[in-house]
Amino acid sequence: MRNGDPTVGIGILGAGTVGGTLVRRLVDDREAIQAKTGIDLHVRRIAVRDPAKPRAFHVPAELVTDDPGLVVDDPDVQLVVEVMGGKDPAGSLVHAALEAGKPVVTANKELIAAHGAELIALAERRGVPLLFEAAVGGGIPIIRPLAETLAGEQIERVAGIVNGTTNYILTRMGDGDDYADALAEAQALGYAEPDPTADVSGADAAAKAAILASLAFGTWVGSDAVPFEGIDRLRREDIEFARFLGYEVKLLAIATRTAAGVCARVHPAMIPAGHPLASIRAATNAIFITGPSVDELLFAGPGAGGEPTATAVLGDVIDAAREILAGAVVAPRIRFSPGEIADFGGVATKWYVRLEVEDEPGVLAQIAAAFGEEQVSIKSVWQEGEGSGATLLIITHRAAEARQRSAVESVRALDVVRSVAATLRVESPEV
Ligand code: NAP
Ligand code: HSE
């Protein structure tokens, strides 16, 4: 501890859902945190877009500014927390703080997934920590376990539910509620991103998948390398058909290490109703980590919202403050080596395909032949309706993603197929 003074000055960029909760906790729990950690965390400056906006915390008005540069440059700020979101200006502010030798804590998965490799390298050069526990899984400790506790494990797979907003929407839709109402509620509860398109399109989960894959496999996987699909085109009838077939629909992030390289992907998928992920409801996140020595670990808990996320940020703040006071920084926590990124097209998946077809003899044979030409074999078929038209629900056996896609395009071109109404991947129990 420097001269026995336990004070660490904190500057906070953003005081919305996460930042506002963080400020309130830092102010209200200051003594309790000092009693437990010996560290006196002192909020020195806060940047927001609109200083006149009413806030759920009480700090002297002169601490709040609309100039985030003042927070980074303030000599009394020894540690910068970035919870404003987005790549810019958050990225340049984080960059400036690290350049100035100030530790940074961020919850910004979009920024870390896009620019994490260079920011982590900069933090290493400047000898300061860059911590981002809150960037994945909200209140669930997942970054530190992956980067530190499991640093000695040869992780094979990380898979689970990593977006609270979409899991909340899927839960509500499964209960019979409307997509738009469920999204509005998720926003009101503080689960959604400032622009919720990032949630429903799968982009937020893809950024998290990139971070998880990078930490799990030690090869940097940028967000550009993660193909993603969201729930924005998912229809309620497919949730219902999935249930009829014994599945639940979840938005999954799946990262694997294969002989061809590291592969991370995000998409909605049907999972067997008995699988633990099928019963994960509302904004809860749940992430399985699989490795040869630990077998399977499950991390689950509140994946979004101000309180759980601020708890994760606070843990990082205490960790970084401890290093500042000790004058001993562990940076970086993990190093990345070059590695191959495997093409998703080569990954074997099973598909559910819903077709609107003419109900006449020979239709099924034509469809089966189209799948067969792409070496995709059909596991099961159900027919709904009869007469002028029918709905076919098909589940295929596992085949390369690229073949599944080509097979569906061949089926779409058949005269007897009125439309390919929906496709979903089907993930097996070993998700
Ligand atoms: P939010 O409620 O929209 O808060 C953003 C804050 O940043 C607001 O206080 C806003 O000011 C301020 N801000 C934005 N742009 C600014 C600028 N150019 N200059 C100064 N201040 C600016 O967002 P949030 O939900 O707290 O999310 C913040 C970050 O945490 C994001 O990176 C998000 O991905 C991440 N995160 C969120 C959650 C969650 O559950 N919400 C969970 C994990 C991670 P005003 O208040 O004046 O508008
Ligand atoms: N919008 C994000 C989600 C916040 O819903 O999961 C947590 O990262």
Side-chain angles (χ1 to χ4, degrees):
M1 204 169 288
R2 298 156 314 160
N3 309 318
D5 179 1
T7 310
V8 173
I10 315 290
I12 302 173
L13 303 169
T17 302
V18 179
T21 309
L22 176 72
V23 175
R24 185 175 47 70
R25 300 264 300 268
L26 282 167
V27 172
D28 292 355
D29 300 347
R30 186 172 164 190
E31 285 175 15
I33 292 169
Q34 185 169 0
K36 203 168 174 187
T37 65
I39 303 167
D40 183 14
L41 299 171
H42 198 139
V43 178
R44 302 285 195 197
R45 263 184 199 269
I46 302 162
V48 292
R49 219 187 264 116
D50 176 8
K53 206 190 258 186
R55 309 277 165 188
F57 54 81
H58 303 286
V59 293
E62 63 271 19
L63 295 192
V64 183
T65 172
D66 61 1
D67 181 352
L70 286 183
V71 175
V72 174
D73 293 342
D74 188 331
D76 288 334
V77 167
Q78 295 155 274
L79 190 163
V80 173
V81 180
E82 185 279 302
V83 277
M84 60 200 290
K87 282 190 265 199
D88 211 39
S92 42
L93 292 163
V94 167
H95 196 279
L98 294 172
E99 276 291 7
K102 298 187 182 189
V104 172
V105 172
T106 178
N108 191 336
K109 51 276 163 115
E110 185 185 357
L111 176 65
I112 294 297
H115 299 298
E118 62 229 56
L119 291 173
I120 289 168
L122 172 59
E124 182 176 15
R125 279 200 304 284
R126 302 299 297 146
V128 289
L130 168 62
L131 303 179
F132 45 89
E133 181 61 68
V136 184
I140 306 170
I142 185 73
I143 298 295
R144 196 168 275 103
L146 268 178
E148 299 179 28
T149 323
L150 295 169
E153 175 64 315
Q154 301 306 306
I155 296 171
E156 292 155 352
R157 185 177 174 91
V158 182
I161 295 165
V162 296
N163 183 272
T165 301
T166 47
N167 204 56
Y168 185 85
I169 295 171
L170 290 173
T171 305
R172 296 290 312 272
M173 284 175 79
D175 292 345
D177 292 326
D178 183 62
Y179 174 96
D181 290 348
L183 172 56
E185 273 180 34
Q187 288 180 279
L189 289 164
Y191 301 152
E193 292 302 298
D195 175 0
T197 312
D199 295 294
V200 297
S201 70
D204 177 81
K208 292 165 177 168
I211 295 170
L212 291 174
S214 302
L215 296 175
F217 307 127
T219 289
W220 188 259
V221 180
S223 37
D224 291 352
V226 183
F228 65 89
E229 289 170 26
I231 63 161
D232 37 2
R233 283 178 299 161
L234 187 68
R235 305 285 299 274
R236 184 200 302 278
E237 55 251 66
D238 291 302
I239 295 177
E240 286 162 7
F241 281 132
R243 285 211 174 138
F244 164 74
L245 299 173
Y247 296 88
E248 290 289 328
V249 179
K250 294 289 180 188
L251 184 72
L252 296 185
I254 301 173
T256 48
R257 183 170 46 189
T258 68
V262 170
C263 179
R265 55 188 157 114
V266 166
H267 50 72
M270 289 176 20
I271 49 178
H275 190 274
L277 289 180
S279 55
I280 298 297
R281 288 177 62 83
T284 305
N285 285 189
I287 303 159
F288 279 98
I289 296 178
T290 311
S293 306
V294 295
D295 192 11
E296 198 166 62
L297 301 171
L298 174 60
F299 295 77
E307 289 292 344
T309 308
T311 303
V313 174
L314 205 39
D316 276 352
V317 167
I318 291 166
D319 189 2
R322 197 175 277 129
E323 292 186 7
I324 291 173
L325 293 176
V329 169
V330 185
R333 261 64 175 176
I334 188 164
R335 288 209 156 84
F336 300 99
S337 316
E340 290 298 315
I341 305 293
D343 177 17
F344 182 25
V347 174
T349 55
K350 289 186 203 173
W351 278 37
Y352 153 94
V353 182
R354 175 160 65 90
L355 301 174
E356 301 299 335
V357 298
E358 303 295 340
D359 188 15
E360 57 190 43
V363 169
L364 208 48
Q366 289 186 53
I367 291 169
F371 275 104
E373 274 164 27
E374 284 294 340
Q375 312 297 317
V376 178
S377 76
I378 292 176
K379 180 171 179 279
S380 357
V381 181
W382 292 261
Q383 179 169 333
E384 290 278 303
E386 54 185 292
S388 59
T391 298
L392 285 184
L393 308 178
I394 293 174
I395 292 188
T396 69
H397 279 293
R398 204 175 279 279
E401 170 79 15
R403 288 198 179 276
Q404 299 276 19
R405 281 188 223 155
S406 304
V408 167
E409 287 319 305
S410 305
V411 167
R412 195 191 304 276
L414 295 174
D415 288 341
V416 293
V417 172
R418 293 179 179 178
S419 74
V420 177
T423 60
L424 278 171
R425 292 169 189 87
V426 180
E427 293 292 334
S428 298
E430 75 273 12
V431 161

